[in-house]
Amino acid sequence: MANFRRFRPDDLNKLSKCNLDPLTETYELGFYLQYHAKWPALFQVAEDQHGNIIGYIMGKLESSPDVYQFSEHYLPWHAHITAVTVAPEARRLGIGKLLSEQLETAADANNAWFIDLFVRSTNHKAIAFYKSMGYSVYRVVKDYYGDHSSDPTQSSEDAYDMRKPLKRDVKKEHVRDDGEKHEVDPSDVW
Amino acid sequence: MSSYARYARPALKSSVDVQLQTAFSDGNWNLVIRLADKRFKVLKDPYYEAIKICAESQLDGTADKCAVLVAIDELVRQKAAPDLDTLELYEWASADFLHGIDYSDALGPLRTRWVKANPKSPLAVQCLQSCLEYWDLVSAQQIAAALDKTYVNSGDRRYMFWSITLTFLLSISPQCSEQSRNVYCMLVLKQLERAADITENSAKLELTDRGLITEEEICLYYRVLLTHGTKEEFLTRIQSSRLGPLHQLKQGRKLLFWETLTALENWGEWDRIFDLCHQALSLGLEDETPSFFTCDLRAWKAFALAASKAKNEEAALGEVQNTLKKFISIKSKANAMYKKNISIALLETTFRLPKPILTPSPDHKGLTPRVVQISLFLDHCFDKLSAFDDVKDYVAQLSFEEAKAFMEQVLPKMLVDKPDKLSQVILKSLNCKLQYLLTTCPQMLSHHPSMVEGNNYQCRFCANLSSLPCQHCLKKIILEASDTYMQIGADKELLKSIPRLDKDPRLDLALVMGTSILKLAGLRQRLSDVDPSPLRNVNPGLFLQAVLLLDTQLRETPSDTGLRLLLVQLYLLLGCATYAHQLWVPMDVKRSILDALGPLFFDRITSISPGLIQGGRSFLEPVRMSYSTSLADNCPLRIWDAFSTGSFSSILSLTEYDSRLRRSCTLVMTLIEERRAIRCYGGKIDSEIDDLPLAADIVDSTTLVNKTDYGSFPNLESLHGLPIQDFIRLGPELSNERAHLSFLTEQYFDILSYKPPKDYRPVKSNEVAIRERNYILECLDRLSNSLTSFIHLPETPSRLTSPEMTYYSVISLLSAALLTGISTTKADPAPKTLQLVTSSIKSALAGLRASLTVSTPSSLPMGDVFFSLSDMHTMSYARDTALAIKHSAAFVLAFHEKEVARDRSGKSSLHKDVVAEMKALEVVSTKALGEIKKHVQSLKEALGEGGWLDRMLEWTFGDEGEAEDEVTEAVSDVVDGRGGAEEWAGKVLESWREGVKGWGMARWD
Ligand SMILES: CC(C)(COP(=O)(O)OP(=O)(O)OC[C@H]1O[C@@H](n2cnc3c(N)ncnc32)[C@H](O)[C@@H]1OP(=O)(O)O)[C@@H](O)C(=O)NCCC(=O)NCCS
């Protein structure tokens, strides 16, 4: 039912199964192409037998800009999951997990310390998904999202910054057990 | 195309004094001019003159702006290496009026010259970047080659691959001259072969070696090999233990494997595909811990297909089965996705087995291994969302005997085996879908010479005389689906457990019912190119029932996009554009997916309801803006990112994608629909279509590409027929032919509204008049030729609705008529062909007019009003055709009047036959317009009358009190009867009224 391969720009014409789902954001063309241009191996898709994209993951490898070197929020060399989504009809088949594992392998190969991501604190399914793969909350970014996904009366929503340590982090220095208690402002993350 | 706002103002040299620096950074141009001039006079440094010229270019006058171009030209001529700071200034100052072409004639070569003189400067890369931004591949290639030469021994391989990539890009680009193309092809191939040999022959490769090391480099090599090398070279190289796809797979990289597979498939190299897939799949079994990394469905399918084409088919398929068995034995360790791939691979292989192996024992007729495999597959995943999709193509391949065994033995047995309520309803819904699927398979019918016209077949399931699809079977499916639907609704326990399911089974049931009813209503694929509107031959009552039923379901399951998309199409077909829009909006189709999904709503929208995108409500604006943003630069978006990170395969894919996006049918559609809407309401069109930056690359020879994405449509049809979107669309989808015809038509209208620029006051009016006439004739000549050739392409009739075909034919004829008309003066012999052309125009218009049903509000026969409301498209093109004729005639007559006034000798006025013909066209078109307007008026009046709600319900369900047929009864059950349908009927009516109101405000003169 599915093939895993690298994203290619033509896939943008086959995104409807994923992107018409309200939980999946659609970005400007340049955003997708930037990932394809800079980190082509970290932008992977799953396609069905008709060539429709039924899942994708966009990731990157980076560290905080040098100017933040001495900030307590400085992030060393790590991988980041910018987006991961699976079409509703293809969920719970392990596609999301496979895509994430591929990114982990690439991040390990690039000697990254950890993988991180932001997720809406009310996106319970996604949080369960990440936890099942060994991610944990590292900190809470207050009012990170400028809207609320389920409650229209609220004008913002917190994000969980979740992390999974990689092979390089032998001593598990980059994760913590009580991450939910560490609150930061959006201006502290970048 | 570029806007200089995007280009940061360059910093002046640090040696420049503060006063001038400040004036420059403040944009105080007059002061900059004065200061720079002064400095130049004192210091004699030409840099200050350049500053002055650039400051002047920021002023408004045309001459000031041109100075910078003159200065650039001067530099080019000097042949010396220019000063880089001066170049930067000039590039910034001219960015606003510099297009790619000019750049490669001037600034690109200047940058190249500079790099060649300063190859070691760190600024050289900046020059490369600049040339890439303007997509000047000739200069970029030269710069990259110069850099590579400079750093050849430095161990920095970046330049080497930049040079190779750019040589390749140039070799496949229209920018490359034909003489040098061969040289570049050879060059790039040789460079890469050398690198490949280094990799093959070195014991150990260092990161500084000039071999192929990274995945990107290796893939670049194969791409070049595929384009410029021979097949033999490719086939040899893929065997390489270091550079072959298998070696890459072992390192966890799949890209080359996929690309190799594609190449081999294109060549039909089945034996090699067999070997490659065999080795690739076996890789996973080599280690102690198995890996499913290569267990993609595509690999399995290619493996099985290649086996079925092998000389010793049986042995080869046996090998596939062997490999599969090994994976099946360790399946429990696999991720659910791979488990499923393996199960489907098993199905695939079974369907590839030769017929004799498949014959069942005589007492189990029909229960072949194929049927058994499908049943095994369904046994464990019947309740998954994708179960139907997974087996659909296999079921559709079954013979009638197999299908019968499957439907009459396998499925009933599953029902017995899974007695819990939930499984029962899921299975029943699956059963309905499969039954429907089989109605689309021709092997379920047998030939039967019959007296009843059209029914020359007999359905082998129900034995009724039939055509495809069997109407009796469809009815049976509707009734069954409705039964199950009602059963679910009445069972509290079931209702409670539905949220835990992947999908509400009622959604599928409603879809089966809806599509079955659409087919019963007569909505089928287009039978001929001259078919009238798709709804013209349908049964309106049944059609409305289907729409009502699906609409009711959408209210239950609003997040189902497949159903939503289906309804959007159906409402557009019905002429309810505003309601379709309401359903469209929540899907939030925006930005990068507009190119693929925009057409699902916007295509032909102005022929249905121009009011929707009239004036301030420009729903098309975001679509246009998304193109303006993505295509603002000459170069592919993000190309420098790919260069700077060494993503060579991405460079190639970004370039291909960019070229495709510039030739998008959706892009053309957007420009056309916007202009049509503006014209419809008499608004002002700002610029000629040719002058739009987004249309800059479109010429007759451009192949415009349609990439509409139908992936989310529910599709119950088999591959034997068309997918659902093809018979619920208003007409054929976007196409190169239609896009060109519509584009040329806009160019034609631009000629009709051509006015010489206002500030242009000619001295010699006679000369100018002659030149103007020649210009018009030239344009008309070109257009007329282009239109004729597109109209006569063999595919064209199948790409257009019949009103469109008439319309574009008329435009083509009009351009010919105008060409003859304007070139025939009083002094010339009578234009013989003109009358022939005009009479064709008149009869085309008459034909279109006649196809509009005239409705009389007082009698309100259902058919007439329904068909008129749902066929605004024909009305719209009748109106457009009449208007085009009228404006064309007026154009010729005005031209004639002007000549009469100008040239008192009367020699240059038009021939009297021309004048007479044009006057006749004016009369005919004015009359037609009046009638069409009246048609709209009467529709409006009809809709304004009372009693519509009842009428709608009557149309849908039949007269109240009369006995309903079975299908109507089934629908009525699901939608909760007439009462439940009232709200829906109100919405449809409202939308019709809004649409007609919009037409009422259109311009009719
Ligand atoms: C989150 C998402 C990507 C998961 O993808 P998926 O392919 O369905 O996930 P997988 O099948 O790989 O799940 C792996 C494991 O994650 C957990 N998990 C996944 N979805 C879950 C859910 N809805 N509830 C609870 N746990 C869940 C389970 O432990 C699961 O293993 P299991 O199925 O064996 O129990 C998918 O639900 C999605 O696309 N959601 C919408 C977009 C989104 O929210 N993205 C994340 C933004 S940060």
Side-chain angles (χ1 to χ4, degrees):
Chain A
M1 189 230 181
N3 304 308
F4 290 88
R5 58 166 175 78
R6 251 189 209 193
F7 166 87
R8 46 174 188 253
D10 252 354
D11 292 335
L12 292 167
N13 306 318
K14 293 274 173 194
L15 280 193
S16 66
K17 288 202 168 194
C18 289
N19 284 42
L20 290 182
D21 182 59
L23 283 173
T24 302
E25 177 62 0
T26 298
Y27 302 101
E28 295 289 354
L29 183 61
F31 190 73
Y32 298 101
L33 298 187
Q34 182 190 18
Y35 280 79
H36 176 59
K38 288 192 180 168
W39 303 280
L42 305 188
F43 192 169
Q44 297 275 342
V45 304
E47 70 177 354
D48 70 7
Q49 62 265 49
H50 310 294
N52 299 305
I53 303 303
I54 48 170
Y56 58 87
I57 192 165
M58 289 164 77
K60 58 182 171 180
L61 277 160
E62 62 185 8
S63 36
S64 301
D66 284 347
V67 288
Y68 292 91
Q69 193 107 44
F70 302 105
S71 149
E72 57 169 319
H73 301 300
Y74 177 78
L75 304 182
W77 185 242
H78 69 286
H80 176 76
I81 298 180
T82 302
V84 55
T85 181
V86 173
E89 69 186 38
R91 288 190 187 149
R92 292 312 280 271
L93 284 170
I95 295 181
K97 189 166 173 216
L98 283 169
L99 290 167
S100 312
E101 283 171 356
Q102 278 172 18
L103 197 70
E104 271 167 44
T105 313
D108 268 329
N110 280 283
N111 208 20
W113 287 99
F114 57 85
I115 301 197
D116 69 356
L117 57 100
F118 295 114
V119 57
R120 286 178 186 270
S121 58
T122 53
N123 191 350
H124 305 294
K125 284 184 191 175
I127 294 168
F129 163 70
Y130 291 123
K131 285 195 169 161
S132 79
M133 294 186 297
Y135 288 75
S136 60
V137 176
Y138 182 73
R139 51 187 177 171
V140 180
V141 192
K142 298 302 290 174
D143 305 322
Y144 180 75
Y145 298 100
D147 59 350
H148 197 282
S149 57
S150 51
D151 182 355
T153 63
Q154 302 213 37
S155 62
S156 69
E157 186 175 346
D158 297 347
Y160 284 154
D161 179 356
M162 294 184 81
R163 272 190 192 183
K164 178 174 183 177
L166 291 174
K167 286 187 182 144
R168 184 173 179 181
D169 188 9
V170 183
K171 294 193 208 145
K172 308 280 176 275
E173 288 170 57
H174 293 281
V175 284
R176 53 190 166 210
D177 293 336
D178 59 347
E180 266 134 57
K181 292 191 193 123
H182 288 78
E183 293 189 348
V184 294
D185 281 336
S187 57
D188 297 327
V189 300
W190 50 277
Chain B
M1 225 203 273
S2 312
S3 131
Y4 68 80
R6 283 181 301 113
Y7 295 93
R9 202 177 291 167
L12 295 181
K13 283 186 193 180
S14 55
S15 57
V16 174
D17 59 282
V18 179
Q19 195 187 4
L20 180 50
Q21 293 269 14
T22 318
F24 190 84
S25 61
D26 290 350
N28 190 345
W29 304 122
N30 286 316
L31 182 60
V32 174
I33 294 169
R34 223 164 356 99
L35 291 174
D37 190 43
K38 248 201 241 163
R39 306 290 186 269
F40 177 61
K41 284 188 178 130
V42 178
L43 300 167
K44 300 278 180 295
D45 180 349
Y47 182 61
Y48 289 98
E49 197 178 20
I51 299 180
K52 183 181 147 212
I53 292 173
C54 291
E56 283 168 353
S57 75
Q58 304 305 302
L59 303 178
D60 278 341
T62 321
D64 298 321
K65 285 199 189 303
C66 284
V68 63
L69 296 183
V70 175
I72 294 173
D73 203 39
E74 184 63 24
L75 282 185
V76 175
R77 247 179 291 202
Q78 278 169 10
K79 300 259 182 309
D83 167 51
L84 189 59
D85 291 287
T86 306
L87 269 192
E88 294 277 334
L89 276 179
Y90 285 165
E91 192 166 311
W92 162 72
S94 58
D96 221 11
F97 32 90
L98 206 57
H99 296 293
I101 305 297
D102 309 323
Y103 191 93
S104 61
D105 284 342
L107 285 164
L110 285 172
R111 293 237 177 225
T112 312
R113 222 184 273 167
W114 187 86
V115 173
K116 285 185 176 163
N118 306 276
K120 292 217 150 123
S121 164
L123 297 177
V125 173
Q126 215 169 296
C127 288
L128 177 65
Q129 190 178 351
S130 176
C131 291
L132 281 176
E133 252 166 49
Y134 284 94
W135 210 230
D136 172 4
L137 293 176
V138 176
S139 306
Q141 191 273 341
Q142 289 191 31
I143 294 178
L147 288 172
D148 183 31
K149 212 163 112 198
T150 308
Y151 293 100
V152 70
N153 293 318
S154 71
D156 191 342
R157 306 156 66 250
R158 190 169 46 140
Y159 303 112
M160 166 184 168
F161 284 100
W162 281 358
S163 168
I164 289 174
T165 309
L166 279 162
T167 308
F168 179 57
L169 284 179
L170 184 58
S171 74
I172 53 171
S173 150
Q175 292 180 37
C176 188
S177 68
E178 285 313 312
Q179 305 97 285
S180 31
R181 197 178 296 282
N182 264 340
V183 179
Y184 287 123
C185 295
M186 301 246 289
L187 179 66
V188 68
L189 203 54
K190 283 269 140 14
Q191 283 178 311
L192 282 168
E193 300 265 71
R194 207 177 307 135
D197 289 341
I198 292 177
T199 306
E200 301 266 27
N201 303 326
S202 324
K204 188 171 182 296
L205 269 185
E206 296 300 330
L207 274 173
T208 49
D209 286 335
R210 288 173 70 85
L212 303 175
I213 301 176
T214 66
E215 181 182 22
E216 288 296 310
E217 292 162 5
I218 294 169
C219 285
L220 172 66
Y221 166 55
Y222 280 97
R223 291 272 189 103
V224 172
L225 204 50
L226 270 179
T227 317
H228 295 323
T230 62
K231 181 174 155 190
E232 283 64 39
E233 284 171 303
F234 187 93
L235 296 180
T236 313
R237 200 62 95 169
I238 55 171
Q239 304 297 334
S240 151
S241 62
R242 287 194 175 181
L243 290 173
L246 277 181
H247 180 65
Q248 292 284 305
L249 276 179
K250 284 181 195 158
Q251 294 177 309
R253 303 168 182 163
K254 245 188 230 175
L255 182 58
L256 185 59
F257 172 63
W258 289 137
E259 298 201 346
T260 306
L261 199 55
T262 307
L264 295 176
E265 281 168 350
N266 289 339
W267 285 320
E269 284 283 340
W270 299 110
D271 288 346
R272 287 175 197 271
I273 294 175
F274 180 82
D275 290 340
L276 180 65
C277 292
H278 191 195
Q279 289 166 329
L281 286 161
S282 305
L283 277 183
L285 300 165
E286 279 175 6
D287 293 334
E288 258 174 46
T289 43
S291 155
F292 297 86
F293 177 61
T294 49
C295 283
D296 291 294
L297 192 56
R298 183 174 168 203
W300 282 114
K301 281 196 165 185
F303 191 23
L305 179 63
S308 73
K309 297 199 186 248
K311 263 210 197 88
N312 189 345
E313 188 186 356
E314 225 161 285
L317 280 162
E319 195 49 56
V320 178
Q321 284 176 317
N322 257 341
T323 315
L324 255 173
K325 268 189 206 133
K326 289 183 196 158
F327 273 104
I328 292 170
S329 69
I330 50 168
K331 204 166 122 183
S332 58
K333 298 192 179 103
N335 176 300
M337 185 69 247
Y338 286 132
K339 276 188 197 144
K340 194 163 164 194
N341 277 354
I342 292 168
S343 305
I344 297 182
L346 199 58
L347 262 178
E348 178 76 20
T349 317
T350 313
F351 274 77
R352 296 274 171 219
L353 292 176
K355 281 265 151 55
I357 300 185
L358 292 168
T359 325
S361 61
D363 32 328
H364 289 294
K365 210 168 156 240
L367 273 184
T368 61
R370 307 205 292 185
V371 177
V372 174
Q373 276 308 332
I374 298 178
S375 81
L376 286 175
F377 182 89
L378 284 181
D379 220 26
H380 61 266
C381 58
F382 72 99
D383 55 346
K384 292 284 178 303
L385 210 55
S386 54
F388 174 74
D389 257 348
D390 288 334
V391 298
K392 172 178 163 212
D393 290 349
Y394 299 107
V395 172
Q397 287 178 51
L398 297 178
S399 66
F400 167 70
E401 287 74 22
E402 287 176 311
K404 192 170 160 68
F406 179 61
M407 299 305 291
E408 293 175 3
Q409 296 179 50
V410 173
L411 288 181
K413 182 164 180 306
M414 282 177 79
L415 272 170
V416 175
D417 290 348
K418 301 187 188 337
D420 66 288
K421 269 190 192 169
L422 210 51
S423 298
Q424 291 277 313
V425 290
I426 295 173
L427 276 170
K428 281 184 185 166
S429 132
L430 181 65
N431 188 320
C432 287
K433 288 204 276 185
L434 289 164
Q435 283 189 56
Y436 178 87
L437 174 75
L438 291 172
T439 67
T440 68
C441 300
Q443 71 269 33
M444 304 305 144
L445 297 183
S446 62
H447 198 69
H448 188 281
S450 132
M451 301 300 287
V452 191
E453 212 191 327
N455 287 352
N456 286 333
Y457 294 92
Q458 183 172 29
C459 173
R460 299 178 72 185
F461 272 111
C462 68
N464 283 297
L465 287 188
S466 167
S467 58
L468 205 64
C470 170
Q471 313 268 318
H472 292 87
C473 286
L474 284 177
K475 278 187 194 154
K476 180 172 157 264
I477 297 168
I478 296 167
L479 303 186
E480 274 182 40
S482 154
D483 262 0
T484 311
Y485 195 106
M486 297 310 291
Q487 182 200 336
I488 298 174
D491 189 323
K492 286 216 177 77
E493 199 184 319
L494 271 175
L495 286 176
K496 229 166 94 190
S497 44
I498 281 178
R500 275 187 278 122
L501 291 179
D502 278 352
K503 191 186 204 178
D504 186 337
R506 284 175 296 179
L507 179 54
D508 278 345
L509 292 164
L511 275 172
V512 177
M513 288 180 77
T515 20
S516 302
I517 300 171
L518 286 175
K519 290 249 176 107
L520 277 186
L523 201 62
R524 317 265 171 85
Q525 66 195 66
R526 226 157 89 107
L527 294 175
S528 85
D529 298 333
V530 289
D531 259 9
S533 124
L535 288 196
R536 194 54 69 139
N537 294 323
V538 307
N539 174 329
L542 280 171
F543 181 81
L544 289 172
Q545 283 182 18
V547 177
L548 163 63
L549 183 113
L550 293 169
D551 191 280
T552 309
Q553 183 57 40
L554 187 70
R555 264 175 280 153
E556 294 294 321
T557 45
S559 62
D560 189 85
T561 40
L563 177 58
R564 192 173 278 274
L565 282 169
L566 198 65
L567 273 166
V568 167
Q569 301 294 297
L570 290 171
Y571 281 118
L572 286 174
L573 201 55
L574 195 54
C576 296
T578 50
Y579 190 31
H581 189 249
Q582 282 172 31
L583 297 184
W584 172 256
V585 170
M587 284 188 285
D588 202 18
V589 175
K590 63 184 180 193
R591 300 175 182 159
S592 48
I593 54 173
L594 278 166
D595 189 51
L597 295 173
L600 298 181
F601 181 76
F602 291 111
D603 188 25
R604 298 198 169 97
I605 192 72
T606 48
S607 74
I608 307 170
S609 181
L612 199 61
I613 55 172
Q614 170 208 2
R617 291 198 295 170
S618 182
F619 294 132
L620 279 164
E621 174 97 4
V623 194
R624 184 166 33 76
M625 286 305 292
S626 81
Y627 288 107
S628 306
T629 321
S630 306
L631 301 176
D633 287 318
N634 290 319
C635 66
L637 208 56
R638 300 293 178 185
I639 198 79
W640 183 249
D641 282 344
F643 267 94
S644 60
T645 46
S647 311
F648 305 110
S649 64
S650 301
I651 294 176
L652 305 186
S653 57
L654 289 170
T655 307
E656 275 166 31
Y657 183 73
D658 177 77
S659 144
R660 210 280 293 151
L661 196 62
R662 288 176 202 274
R663 295 181 286 118
S664 157
C665 280
T666 310
L667 165 61
V668 176
M669 172 209 82
T670 307
L671 302 178
I672 303 295
E673 292 294 325
E674 258 191 336
R675 288 166 69 95
R676 284 174 54 86
I678 296 173
R679 209 171 24 245
C680 186
Y681 292 99
K684 189 172 160 338
I685 292 178
D686 293 334
S687 104
E688 295 192 0
I689 193 149
D690 279 336
D691 292 339
L692 297 177
L694 286 174
D697 296 326
I698 299 170
V699 291
D700 284 0
S701 57
T702 314
T703 307
L704 297 162
V705 186
N706 170 33
K707 287 279 181 184
T708 306
D709 177 5
Y710 298 103
S712 288
F713 276 73
N715 205 346
L716 305 172
E717 312 295 310
S718 72
L719 290 175
H720 303 292
L722 291 176
I724 191 158
Q725 64 266 15
D726 282 349
F727 57 88
I728 59 171
R729 215 188 297 102
L730 188 56
E733 63 180 331
L734 291 174
S735 61
N736 177 51
E737 292 82 357
R738 173 148 69 98
H740 272 293
L741 284 168
S742 61
F743 193 77
L744 290 165
T745 300
E746 290 303 314
Q747 289 180 328
Y748 177 72
F749 285 126
D750 283 338
I751 299 181
L752 294 191
S753 52
Y754 171 75
K755 289 196 183 68
K758 267 210 190 91
D759 48 356
Y760 177 65
R761 292 215 178 66
V763 194
K764 296 181 182 160
S765 63
N766 279 350
E767 228 172 76
V768 171
I770 291 168
R771 237 185 288 146
E772 205 176 298
R773 182 186 215 141
N774 286 341
Y775 170 74
I776 292 171
L777 288 175
E778 226 172 78
C779 295
L780 283 171
D781 189 33
R782 185 187 61 75
L783 265 179
S784 171
N785 283 329
S786 303
L787 281 161
T788 315
S789 61
F790 276 108
I791 283 281
H792 289 116
L793 287 177
E795 291 293 327
T796 299
S798 65
R799 303 278 193 249
L800 304 172
T801 63
S802 104
E804 283 166 348
M805 186 66 200
T806 309
Y807 174 66
Y808 292 125
S809 303
V810 167
I811 299 287
S812 167
L813 290 169
L814 282 171
S815 67
L818 259 61
L819 184 62
T820 314
I822 291 182
S823 56
T824 315
T825 62
K826 215 169 183 173
D828 296 315
K832 287 209 192 77
T833 52
L834 184 63
Q835 207 225 335
L836 235 104
V837 175
T838 51
S839 69
S840 303
I841 295 174
K842 283 181 232 165
S843 60
L845 177 64
L848 258 183
R849 259 234 334 87
S851 58
L852 290 181
T853 321
V854 187
S855 57
T856 37
S858 47
S859 60
L860 280 177
M862 158 165 161
D864 283 4
V865 184
F866 175 82
F867 292 131
S868 297
L869 288 167
S870 59
D871 191 16
M872 287 304 188
H873 178 76
T874 302
M875 186 284 289
S876 160
Y877 275 103
R879 172 183 170 276
D880 283 340
T881 306
L883 276 172
I885 297 172
K886 188 170 168 165
H887 289 155
S888 304
F891 179 79
V892 178
L893 292 173
F895 184 90
H896 172 70
E897 293 300 324
K898 213 165 81 187
E899 290 302 292
V900 171
R902 182 182 65 81
D903 180 2
R904 294 286 170 191
S905 76
K907 263 194 277 176
S908 46
S909 42
L910 301 184
H911 196 282
K912 68 175 186 344
D913 286 7
V914 172
V915 176
E917 284 298 335
M918 292 300 148
K919 283 196 171 145
L921 283 183
E922 235 185 5
V923 171
V924 173
S925 56
T926 310
K927 181 162 171 269
L929 275 170
E931 287 165 357
I932 302 165
K933 187 176 176 184
K934 227 168 93 196
H935 173 79
V936 173
Q937 193 59 36
S938 59
L939 277 178
K940 198 174 159 193
E941 281 164 20
L943 282 168
E945 289 183 359
W948 265 97
L949 211 56
D950 290 339
R951 198 166 294 133
M952 267 298 284
L953 295 174
E954 244 162 58
W955 284 2
T956 313
F957 294 105
D959 290 335
E960 202 161 13
E962 263 177 39
E964 287 176 347
D965 62 73
E966 289 167 316
V967 170
T968 310
E969 227 171 89
V971 172
S972 185
D973 284 347
V974 171
V975 303
D976 204 11
R978 287 174 198 245
E982 267 180 26
E983 191 188 333
W984 164 81
K987 280 187 182 159
V988 171
L989 277 172
E990 182 58 30
S991 191
W992 270 337
R993 286 193 181 115
E994 281 186 59
V996 172
K997 194 170 130 205
W999 277 113
M1001 290 185 302
R1003 256 183 54 170
W1004 294 92
D1005 53 15

